[in-house]
Amino acid sequence: MVQATMVMAAEGLGKAFRQGEERIAALDGVSFGVERGTFTAVMGASGSGKTTLLNLLAGLLKPDAGRILLDGDDFSSLKDSERARLRRRRIGFVFQDYNLLPNLTLAENVRLPRLLDEAPEGAEGWLAEIVEFLGLGGRLKHLPSQLSGGERQRAAIARALAMKPEIVLADEPTGNLDLRGSTHVCELLRRLCRERGCTVLAVTHAPHVAIHADRVLMLGDGRLLADRPMSDFGDAEQLAIAYQRLLAPVAEGRP
Amino acid sequence: MTAAGRFWRYAALSVGAMVRRQPLASALSVAAVALAAGMVLRVACAFSATSDRLGEMMADAALHFDRVVAEGAEGEALDAAIARPHPALPEALLAAVRGAEGVERCVAGAVVTVEVYPGGGRGMGRGRPGGPGGSGGPGTRPVNVSTNITDPMFRMAGWMPGEMALCPLFSPEEGAAPSGVEAEQWARCVEEGALAVPSSLARQYGLEAGAEVFLAGAGGRARVAVGAVYETGRAGAVRGLFPVCAPREVFENVAGGEWMANRAYVRLREGADAAGFEAAFDAAVAECGAAAALLGPEYWREAAAPFARGRGGGGFDAIPYSAVFLAVMAALFLLLSTLAMNIQGQRRELAVLRAIGAPSWMPAGAVVVQGLLLAAAGWAVGAAYGLWAFRGTVPEAARGWGHVVALARGGLALSAVPVAVATLLACVPAVWMATRLHPLESGAIEAGGAGTGRRAFVSGSVAMLLHPLLAWTPLARGPLAQSFVLPAAYLLAMVGAVLMVPGLLRALAGLLARPIGAVLRLHPLLLRDHNRGGLWQQTLGASALVVSLAFYLTTAIWGESMKIPFLAGDKAPDAIAVFLPEGPLAERAGEVAAIPGVRADSAMRLTHLRLADADALRGKFFAGSELILLRADLPGFLSLASHRLVAGRTGPIGDGECVVMAQMPLADPDAFRIGKPFGVYPLGGDPGADTSRSELVPVGVLDIPGWQLITKSTRMRRGMNRSLSLVFVNDATFDRYAPGVRENCHWLALEPGTDLRELQKALDALRPYPSAYVKLTDVAGAQAMIARRSDSVIAPLLRLPLMVLGLSSLAVLVSLVAAVWSRRHAYALLRALGLDRGRLVRLLVGEALLLATASVLLGTLLAVLFARTGILLCNRTMTVQAPFVWPWRAWTTGAAATLGAVMAGCLLALPVLHRREGAGAGLAGVDR
């Protein structure tokens, strides 16, 4: 049973895709809760269902089974427009490939979620603050093609924060960055939780990213294999060993 | 496997992938190519086949004779007027012709032009009464039988149901039967005083032996029975060839003069020396001092030439060819869009292929194979459709002319040529797109770049500006104008419009994003940004629409504008009465004005002159070399219908001076100027007239809208001959040319509600003798008929452009689906960031509005350029003054069709975004 104090929770989530005649279960009976103001890492091998889980949590996909609760309310059963509104106002999404619009400047890309809302103007102070917070102050008029990989990733994070979301969902936020860059991004996400009270849920398969989280969820073949506080693992090395140990039976096809 | 084998395997896979990924676009491309190929067969090949056949038929139109001897130095008898017979061919000349070596048969006879209309009796039916004043008397109104005008003679004369026909009336010499009429049949006709009518006329009026027709000529009107219908075999389209044949007594009554041979039909023996016969004829003419011409195959060929392909329609022929051209262009755009969409969908695969070392010809070849396969499938369907349409319609229509029209050999292959050319042209940019992909290409969207469209916009504007510079200036009048300058001007404008599309889209996005965003409750930045993506696909779609809309509007503007010179408008008399062959006796001439209901009468003396130096009229479509000479009280005439002089003086006209119509100076501004004399000859052989060349000096220029058709309807013209001008002179000058002619033409202003039947009766009472004929024309009724006729010509002309506009809609649809597809990542991102479906639809609608606005603006601009050029050209060649009339209804229809097409294209693209599940599923990196 998911606790009522959780900002977001999944209950028995199931999702399958069709590939021709074959039905492939991407997620199967996944349940967990995420506490407000925490940083949760979702780990798993490629094809384990991490991105599907994130898309379900963001309301981009509808689950075949189970439900998603946002502040205790069933989020997944809402109409498309209501889910879009919640996504716009309460959830920030950081994409793996940044997905910045190439024709918009960095400033315009960051403001984009606000432009989609009914009352888009205003909040310039907040936007300036997050841009400064992310160290992008001098690059506002640049197009994405004129930014480095790290800057693009930070711009994607800035855009995710534009609406002051309660929840930030990040899909492999450091997937395209080197170790230094990814450490910087992880520290930023950490600071978001600490200083801004955001709830962060980041998908990764890298232990050195996950160690910045408060909790770690491990997925394998669409099922939740582990849901433990980071303190259980100690450091990145132990986390990597535990991760390998948990995933080994899945990789060998054992339950 | 060999390199070729690997290539074909890859090409087959890529074709399969295209059909799987782009089923809609592929199907639409095939449909567009099919329609284009079908149109090539149906329109171009059929049009060529029929016009070629018609040309052949007319070139062979002498029927059973090889040569025709005609009175007059230029064979004028073939364009005979409603007048008394011309001076006879000298007996000595006829004898010389009969005795010339190689002559097998020679039938001499007399020809005049008469009006003919059904008069009731057996064989009549399905008729409806004509308009008031059309016939010349109570109970004798023209009754028309057929409403389906199939005979080219009538069609080309612009004959409409409800009108009477002008027809040659022929009477052969004693003892000879007219060509085509059996000797026994003719003997019976002579005995009964009946007519032999050609089958073409009989078909049109539903006549058979025993029916009666009215003939009206210079001698008055007569009701005559039809004794025989003779088969022409071919319909006979050259004027004066297939006459109504009358016994001598009937002829003399109707023609108003004694029979005299003014034409002779000559058949040469097989293998006879035609050149020798012509030489003998020339010698005989010189010996007799006669004015006579020998008309042979060259004459018929010349007569047929205007009707042959591309030369006869006064611009009308260009419309079906333009429609075919634009249909092929639309197919090209669709093919290109489909190929481009496929390349867009295969970017990563192509990049990977390049990265692992595949040569660039491999994807290039695959693209060409894809294009050719789509085109081949389309052509196969189109050829089947075209053949079906051709066989179902063209021979059926041709049957009415007594013809067999078959598709020219090679027609099918011919239809494949434009399809193949369009396909290869579509493949060029597609191949370029496929081969320019960098091996490190990702699926991400590319930035448009700030300068995209700006240079193209400037270049396009310059190209469009060059159009008026080339087409509206004297450059378009030079010897190279038709072949090079005008085509170049049209092409420049079209290319310019296409080049302007991206820049205009961007400019409009900047200008209109805010108001459209306010209406649709979207931030302007979203519209502005989205207009930067998928620009080339939008450009393709918009270009097809721009050109099609321009084509549609050009036709509409041209049609509406060219109607004006032929409509008299408000400035016209209420009615015109022409007395044939001569006006009331002198002591009763003033009684016309006193008839109840007549408010004012401008009584004129009417005869005809011929322009002496007609070289200036070469190539002028509506300008004949004849002049309608009028002696009128000019101030009275001008005040009758509020006409005014547009140039020159308004005072009395002196001896040898004249006032001419504005169209005459138009024919050649250098030759016909105020104060510059021009030469004339009299026509009609009026006894006592000075028949030598003389000169008239224009002192004023007058413009009467619609005078050409007014004079045609009222029989002020000679037969079907075209006139260059009304020429107003004083009594003394008129007497020089036609001293015996009384006041035979009356332009009348009537009191409101005047009964035209009563007026006709009153005018009939003024005839100098009972068989004389008064043709009373209700100008308003004639105008309404002309307007109906114009509309009936314009309406079908607009159908083709509308079809092309519809076809372009397909191109737009595919292009917009391609544009949306190319930006699916961006849409998916917006959806992921919280854009709900409603807003997504509004965003697409906003884009559609911008695209439609750009298309309508450019299409309208292009149409204005094209239409103005067309009107200027037509004004010059037709010698008319058509204004530029804006067709609001057609513009609204075109703009609505454009908006609808764009809107449908954008909204039909929605399923593309929802084809895969989930709002964010289009984002790169999304897997399970």
Side-chain angles (χ1 to χ4, degrees), chain B residues 60 111 223 259 300 360 517 563 581 822 925:
Chain B
D60 187 32
V111 170
R223 186 171 181 154
W259 185 95
W300 311 127
S360 57
K563 219 164 45 172
S822 75

Side-chain angles (χ1 to χ4, degrees), chain B residues 345-426:
Chain B
Q346 288 182 308
R347 280 167 79 101
R348 286 189 176 184
E349 291 162 37
L350 290 170
V352 169
L353 274 178
R354 296 280 287 136
I356 61 174
S360 57
W361 58 262
M362 207 159 161
V367 165
V368 174
V369 169
Q370 289 165 8
L372 287 176
L373 277 178
L374 285 175
W379 178 78
V381 176
Y385 157 73
L387 279 178
W388 171 78
F390 181 90
R391 290 193 177 137
T393 53
V394 178
E396 182 59 36
R399 232 191 314 280
W401 319 342
H403 287 296
V404 177
V405 174
L407 186 65
R409 242 184 266 167
L412 270 179
L414 189 70
S415 70
V417 172
V419 169
V421 171
T423 308
L424 292 176
L425 284 176

Side-chain angles (χ1 to χ4, degrees), chain A residues 26-235:
Chain A
L27 282 180
D28 184 12
V30 174
S31 300
F32 63 89
V34 181
E35 284 181 50
R36 195 181 300 277
T38 59
F39 183 173
T40 303
V42 180
M43 294 184 73
S46 294
S48 60
K50 303 186 297 289
T51 300
T52 302
L53 175 64
L54 217 60
N55 285 340
L56 285 168
L57 293 176
L60 299 173
L61 294 175
K62 282 189 113 175
D64 297 337
R67 58 183 190 153
I68 297 154
L69 301 175
L70 200 61
D71 279 339
D73 297 326
D74 188 353
F75 172 54
S76 47
S77 64
L78 295 175
K79 283 195 297 186
D80 178 77
S81 58
E82 288 165 336
R83 276 186 289 134
R85 185 170 53 81
L86 283 174
R87 198 158 61 233
R88 209 159 56 230
R89 296 189 174 170
R90 295 186 62 185
I91 299 171
F93 206 106
V94 182
F95 297 95
Q96 183 181 2
D97 290 329
Y98 328 127
N99 280 318
L100 300 171
L101 288 181
N103 294 305
L104 298 186
T105 61
L106 189 148
E108 289 169 337
N109 263 297
V110 170
R111 284 175 61 216
L112 194 56
R114 300 199 72 84
L115 305 184
L116 300 177
D117 212 290
E118 295 288 352
E121 302 303 336
E124 292 303 321
W126 163 249
L127 292 176
E129 193 181 329
I130 54 171
V131 165
E132 284 305 319
F133 174 72
L134 292 165
L136 295 166
R139 315 288 280 166
L140 290 176
K141 290 197 187 306
H142 289 72
L143 290 171
S145 56
Q146 297 163 324
L147 302 174
S148 70
E151 285 170 331
R152 288 183 208 179
Q153 189 67 70
R154 278 181 280 150
I157 294 171
R159 184 178 62 193
L161 297 177
M163 294 293 284
K164 292 190 188 176
E166 298 161 46
I167 302 161
V168 173
L169 303 174
D171 187 5
E172 305 264 12
T174 60
N176 294 315
L177 302 178
D178 59 14
L179 184 60
R180 191 166 155 234
S182 60
T183 305
H184 183 61
V185 167
C186 290
E187 282 170 358
L188 276 174
L189 294 174
R190 185 77 239 161
R191 279 175 65 197
L192 275 175
C193 300
R194 198 172 55 238
E195 296 173 19
R196 308 282 171 189
C198 270
T199 303
V200 177
L201 195 140
V203 160
T204 182
H205 56 259
H208 70 270
V209 173
I211 55 163
H212 293 89
D214 299 312
R215 290 176 63 219
V216 177
L217 306 177
M218 289 190 187
L219 289 177
D221 210 11
R223 283 171 291 125
L224 186 62
L225 302 178
D227 177 1
R228 291 159 63 182
M230 186 59 215
S231 52
D232 285 4
F233 300 104
D235 57 17

Side-chain angles (χ1 to χ4, degrees), chain B residues 236-535:
Chain B
V238 175
R239 289 176 284 178
L241 276 175
F242 296 104
V244 170
C245 302
R248 185 168 294 194
E249 192 185 348
V250 175
F251 177 88
E252 287 180 342
N253 280 342
V254 176
E258 276 187 24
W259 185 95
M260 55 182 77
N262 58 6
R263 191 178 301 186
Y265 292 92
V266 180
R267 187 188 301 153
L268 300 179
R269 281 194 202 91
E270 199 158 333
D273 176 13
F277 170 72
E278 281 166 17
F281 174 82
D282 289 342
V285 166
E287 197 174 317
C288 302
L294 185 66
L295 310 176
E298 295 76 23
Y299 177 88
W300 311 127
R301 262 197 288 278
E302 203 176 312
F307 301 98
R309 185 178 13 170
R311 285 204 271 165
F316 290 91
D317 300 352
I319 290 174
Y321 284 109
S322 305
V324 169
F325 171 73
L326 289 177
V328 174
M329 291 292 284
L332 187 156
F333 280 125
L334 275 164
L335 278 172
L336 176 55
S337 291
T338 308
L339 295 176
M341 276 173 78
N342 196 39
I343 293 166
Q344 192 76 25
Q346 288 182 308
R347 280 167 79 101
R348 286 189 176 184
E349 291 162 37
L350 290 170
V352 169
L353 274 178
R354 296 280 287 136
I356 61 174
S360 57
W361 58 262
M362 207 159 161
V367 165
V368 174
V369 169
Q370 289 165 8
L372 287 176
L373 277 178
L374 285 175
W379 178 78
V381 176
Y385 157 73
L387 279 178
W388 171 78
F390 181 90
R391 290 193 177 137
T393 53
V394 178
E396 182 59 36
R399 232 191 314 280
W401 319 342
H403 287 296
V404 177
V405 174
L407 186 65
R409 242 184 266 167
L412 270 179
L414 189 70
S415 70
V417 172
V419 169
V421 171
T423 308
L424 292 176
L425 284 176
C427 285
V428 170
V431 163
W432 179 76
M433 284 169 64
T435 50
R436 80 184 246 279
L437 279 174
H438 193 273
L440 299 177
E441 185 77 43
S442 75
I445 346 156
E446 289 175 47
T452 304
R454 204 170 295 157
R455 261 177 303 178
F457 186 85
V458 173
S459 313
S461 309
V462 171
M464 283 194 104
L465 275 176
L466 282 173
H467 178 87
L469 282 178
L470 289 173
W472 299 357
T473 60
L475 280 174
R477 289 183 198 167
L480 297 177
Q482 297 287 333
S483 309
F484 297 104
V485 180
L486 285 171
Y490 278 113
L491 194 66
L492 272 172
M494 265 207 303
V495 171
V498 171
L499 285 174
M500 284 172 79
V501 172
L504 186 66
L505 271 173
R506 287 199 135 189
L508 283 177
L511 280 170
L512 301 179
R514 197 168 286 279
I516 292 178
V519 172
L520 298 175
R521 287 183 290 129
L522 287 170
H523 195 279
L525 192 64
L526 290 174
L527 283 167
R528 276 205 291 270
D529 167 63
H530 269 249
N531 236 281
R532 290 176 204 162
L535 205 59

Side-chain angles (χ1 to χ4, degrees), chain B residues 715-750:
Chain B
R715 301 286 177 255
M716 286 175 70
R717 291 197 212 166
R718 287 191 351 127
M720 288 163 66
N721 291 355
R722 286 176 179 147
S723 290
L724 175 61
S725 182
L726 298 172
V727 177
F728 294 88
V729 293
N730 67 10
D731 262 321
T733 310
F734 190 91
D735 281 339
R736 195 196 301 166
Y737 303 107
V741 172
R742 299 199 288 261
E743 288 176 323
N744 53 355
C745 178
H746 296 258
W747 284 35
L748 306 172
L750 303 178

Side-chain angles (χ1 to χ4, degrees), chain B residues 53 57 210 239 261 269 329 366 378 410 443 519 532 651 680 757 791 801 877:
Chain B
R53 189 72 190 91
M57 177 268 290
R239 289 176 284 178
R269 281 194 202 91
M329 291 292 284
V519 172
R532 290 176 204 162
V680 291
R757 291 176 186 231
D791 291 339
T877 52

